[in-house]
Amino acid sequence: MMKRLLQIIFAVIVVTQTATVATAEEKKAPLKYVDALDFRMINKGFDDTETPYTRLPKYLQDSVRADLWNRQQCSSGLGIRFSTNSTRVGVRYTLLWDTHMFHMADTGLKGTDLYILTDDGRWEYVNTNRPIANDKKECEKVFVENLDGKAHEFLIYLPLYDGVTKMDIAVDSLAKIEKPKVDSPRKSKKIVMYGTSILQGGCSTRTGMVATNMIQRDLNCEVVNLGFSGEGKMDQCIARAMARIKDADVYVLDPVPNCTEMMCDTLTYDFVKTLRELRPNVPIVMVEGPMYTYAKYDSFFKSYLPKKNAAYRKNYEKLVADGYKNIYYVTSEGLTGDDNEGTVDGIHFTDIGFRRYADKLIPVLKPLLEK
Amino acid sequence: MMKRLLQIIFAVIVVTQTATVATAEEKKAPLKYVDALDFRMINKGFDDTETPYTRLPKYLQDSVRADLWNRQQCSSGLGIRFSTNSTRVGVRYTLLWDTHMFHMADTGLKGTDLYILTDDGRWEYVNTNRPIANDKKECEKVFVENLDGKAHEFLIYLPLYDGVTKMDIAVDSLAKIEKPKVDSPRKSKKIVMYGTSILQGGCSTRTGMVATNMIQRDLNCEVVNLGFSGEGKMDQCIARAMARIKDADVYVLDPVPNCTEMMCDTLTYDFVKTLRELRPNVPIVMVEGPMYTYAKYDSFFKSYLPKKNAAYRKNYEKLVADGYKNIYYVTSEGLTGDDNEGTVDGIHFTDIGFRRYADKLIPVLKPLLEK
């Protein structure tokens, strides 16, 4: 009870901690709520998912482990694009679980971010909701008020470590809200990234700061997030499913953190081979697992992590030697920078880590995307 | 119940999500626990606090608002320095509240970070605990195992948005653990920083990433964190208390986000004057409030925040015109970078925001510190 009380006190403190100011317009007109699915969903890999907000095709449910199925229910990477001239832009959505983790802010885990397209074509962050759900697991937030009333292009990113069952966009009742008028991210360019909890978004502070979403904004393309916490284990059925994404321009594989040395040794070759043979012309980028920061001081992991990467690399080299083309390799060097400061727990990236990871991958991906 | 179950499932997933590997040494010897107070506490402003882990002098309790008193109970910025040759280093501590916020990871809010001093004299991050408290509000974590068994210098940062009532350091039962042998951060150099929730640490992902602790590592000095969430309101008694820190080499004032335009206008002059007159020779650095990222698109706040800064600046200029010396001013320009990506909610800094804020202040502070 005391704990709950303190939580409420803190929430109130933080909400009101900036100087309280009465805005000119005290009485607001009611908002109108429009189904997010009326607009454009971005960064989605498959159209045959169980719900619009889940990530893997429905047919896979019986083929994969329950944990993997659970993780694909997280809406990581998905975003809604729309255009409106509203002076207010908000969101209301229902969470699948309303879960919590100890090393990731709820804003990243189950919040949503609003971005706006600037006049010079950059996506710029506006605001985030604090995901305080009611007893129906509903979160609601007006991201911004007092906008200029001109038509702007917007993007809302969905939760990274929770799912969404329903989402509405909130705007002024008399405002226009429409499908986006600008093709950004470009519909014609798509990167598909497969990996672990790190790739899924653990532990960015908010949804716009996961690497896949940064890359999506920076390269003006769609980036499908197929990161599955604890479950990036190079299952053959996932390779086959990824090959079904017909408009994929580049595949990125980043599974090492979830695989043992033995798995890196025995699964890598066949996973890449399956994908390569089904999609002969699409570049594949293999990314090594990062050296966990704590491993630098732990003699066991200091030798074990390079062994996993070595097993992964050996298979890359074997694939190349066997004549498989168009496969690229990114080493772990500097993947989260060189100061050991890019993680929250020695493993999972913070916004700093994700920024550095994106900055390492972008120069590799950009030329492949424009081929 | 379902929610709690999912929380547990997620916690387990995340803990075990890296490949499970049996270390060579299956059976560990028991740890020994040593009171953290036996070593060196850093970044503390006052020695007459109610407990070693709180921040303001006890005598102030009746003079300040209850909320301000509550906030000084957070151990923000405090750290424990020690030396050990243990192959394992851990921590066990009891939280004051075990609270939670929606826009900050628990690791930053109530976790602890372990840093190690490298051979070339840099402080390097090792690991963080996930603050999963038992029913006694106790958290426990072995940060690192399999260290090399040589003597190293360590630093543990305390929670930013919670308090600590008791802390023990855990090491191998036969290891030596002693007071630090290296004077880092230098005892002879101290910066005292006063401000709001942002300064207190909202919302770094872990305790080492709040700006005051970054500045402390980068400038090799102590940095006292007097950030009080919602309560950085330029109270006269705080100015007088700050003047009592006799070994302060620089004062930094960053209260604007918690003050209205009127408060910036009416409180700034007297706050600085009190501090200046009581400590005539210590440089004072006044930092403007950041332009909230959402304010860029909100016509009300877009004009209101500059008004607060203008009121603050006007008083700085009046102080200088009135002959008060050794006062420096840092504008809000680029305080969290120029891409709008440095906050978690449009206001509170992420690790990226704190890094940029520290990078803006360090060139100002460094020459003042070495005077």
Side-chain angles (χ1 to χ4, degrees), chain A residues 117-352:
Chain A
L117 193 65
T118 62
D119 292 340
D120 59 349
R122 285 177 308 104
W123 282 103
E124 193 158 83
Y125 171 66
V126 180
N127 210 351
T128 300
N129 71 303
R130 293 184 190 161
I132 305 170
N134 62 21
D135 55 8
K136 289 185 257 173
K137 298 183 193 168
E138 267 178 6
C139 300
E140 189 159 7
K141 167 79 175 180
V142 175
F143 291 115
V144 62
E145 302 185 279
N146 308 308
L147 275 158
D148 62 10
K150 296 176 191 165
H152 293 284
E153 299 285 309
F154 293 96
L155 167 52
I156 294 177
Y157 288 118
L158 274 56
L160 300 174
Y161 259 83
D162 206 321
V164 165
T165 57
K166 165 84 173 138
M167 178 174 279
D168 293 307
I169 313 293
V171 290
D172 296 335
S173 55
L174 299 177
K176 253 190 176 176
I177 173 163
E178 300 174 293
K179 284 187 199 296
K181 291 168 184 172
V182 179
D183 181 35
S184 175
R186 288 173 291 174
K187 282 181 181 147
S188 60
K189 297 289 178 187
K190 186 174 269 181
I191 299 171
V192 177
M193 297 183 67
Y194 168 69
T196 69
S197 58
I198 299 174
L199 194 84
Q200 185 177 331
C203 294
S204 64
T205 63
R206 52 183 176 78
T207 57
M209 297 306 272
V210 62
T212 57
N213 289 345
M214 288 186 187
I215 294 169
Q216 171 251 300
R217 291 194 300 277
D218 289 355
L219 293 182
N220 187 21
C221 66
E222 295 211 23
V223 179
V224 178
N225 186 315
L226 297 181
F228 305 115
S229 186
E231 290 292 336
K233 293 175 175 170
M234 294 196 272
D235 304 275
Q236 275 294 313
C237 61
I238 300 293
R240 287 192 297 272
M242 287 171 71
R244 290 178 61 242
I245 304 175
K246 290 303 174 204
D247 55 349
D249 296 288
V250 183
Y251 291 110
V252 178
L253 312 180
D254 184 1
V256 175
N258 281 167
C259 295
T260 60
E261 182 185 358
M262 178 69 85
M263 291 160 76
C264 289
D265 195 28
T266 59
L267 301 179
T268 304
Y269 191 95
D270 288 343
F271 190 91
V272 178
K273 181 170 175 260
T274 295
L275 192 54
R276 168 52 62 243
E277 292 188 345
L278 289 168
R279 300 300 308 277
N281 301 317
V282 183
I284 297 172
V285 179
M286 299 171 64
V287 184
E288 281 187 357
M291 285 297 295
Y292 302 158
T293 54
Y294 72 76
K296 198 162 172 180
Y297 295 100
D298 179 314
S299 59
F300 176 78
F301 282 98
K302 192 176 184 172
S303 69
Y304 182 65
L305 296 181
K307 281 181 198 164
K308 296 208 295 174
N309 282 334
Y312 189 63
R313 182 169 197 139
K314 189 183 76 181
N315 280 280
Y316 157 72
E317 286 166 356
K318 192 160 180 288
L319 284 154
V320 172
D322 289 353
Y324 290 101
K325 304 280 184 221
N326 216 0
I327 306 176
Y328 301 84
Y329 196 82
V330 177
T331 70
S332 65
E333 202 185 323
L335 210 48
T336 58
D338 56 11
D339 62 2
N340 240 33
E341 290 285 30
T343 75
V344 68
D345 59 355
I347 299 174
H348 295 91
F349 301 177
T350 61
D351 295 7
I352 288 183

Side-chain angles (χ1 to χ4, degrees), chain B residues 215-229:
Chain B
I215 293 169
Q216 170 251 300
R217 292 195 300 277
D218 289 356
L219 293 182
N220 188 22
C221 65
E222 296 211 22
V223 179
V224 178
N225 186 314
L226 297 181
F228 305 115
S229 186

Side-chain angles (χ1 to χ4, degrees), chain B residues 163-180:
Chain B
V164 165
T165 56
K166 164 82 174 142
M167 177 174 280
D168 293 306
I169 312 294
V171 290
D172 296 335
S173 56
L174 298 177
K176 253 190 174 175
I177 174 163
E178 299 174 295
K179 284 188 198 296

Side-chain angles (χ1 to χ4, degrees), chain B residues 300-365:
Chain B
F300 175 79
F301 282 99
K302 193 176 183 171
S303 70
Y304 183 64
L305 296 181
K307 282 182 198 163
K308 296 208 295 175
N309 282 334
Y312 189 63
R313 182 168 196 138
K314 189 184 76 180
N315 280 280
Y316 156 72
E317 286 166 357
K318 191 160 182 286
L319 284 155
V320 172
D322 288 353
Y324 291 101
K325 304 279 183 219
N326 215 1
I327 306 175
Y328 302 84
Y329 195 82
V330 177
T331 70
S332 66
E333 202 186 323
L335 211 49
T336 58
D338 55 10
D339 61 3
N340 241 33
E341 290 286 29
T343 75
V344 67
D345 59 355
I347 300 174
H348 295 91
F349 301 177
T350 62
D351 295 7
I352 288 182
F354 280 120
R355 184 66 264 171
R356 291 168 175 175
Y357 177 90
D359 287 343
K360 176 145 183 185
L361 260 59
I362 284 171
V364 178
L365 297 174

Side-chain angles (χ1 to χ4, degrees), chain B residues 171-216:
Chain B
V171 290
D172 296 335
S173 56
L174 298 177
K176 253 190 174 175
I177 174 163
E178 299 174 295
K179 284 188 198 296
K181 290 169 185 171
V182 178
D183 180 36
S184 176
R186 289 174 291 173
K187 281 181 182 148
S188 60
K189 296 289 177 187
K190 185 174 271 181
I191 299 171
V192 177
M193 296 182 68
Y194 168 70
T196 70
S197 58
I198 298 173
L199 194 85
Q200 185 177 332
C203 293
S204 63
T205 64
R206 52 182 175 78
T207 56
M209 297 306 272
V210 61
T212 57
N213 289 344
M214 289 185 185
I215 293 169
Q216 170 251 300

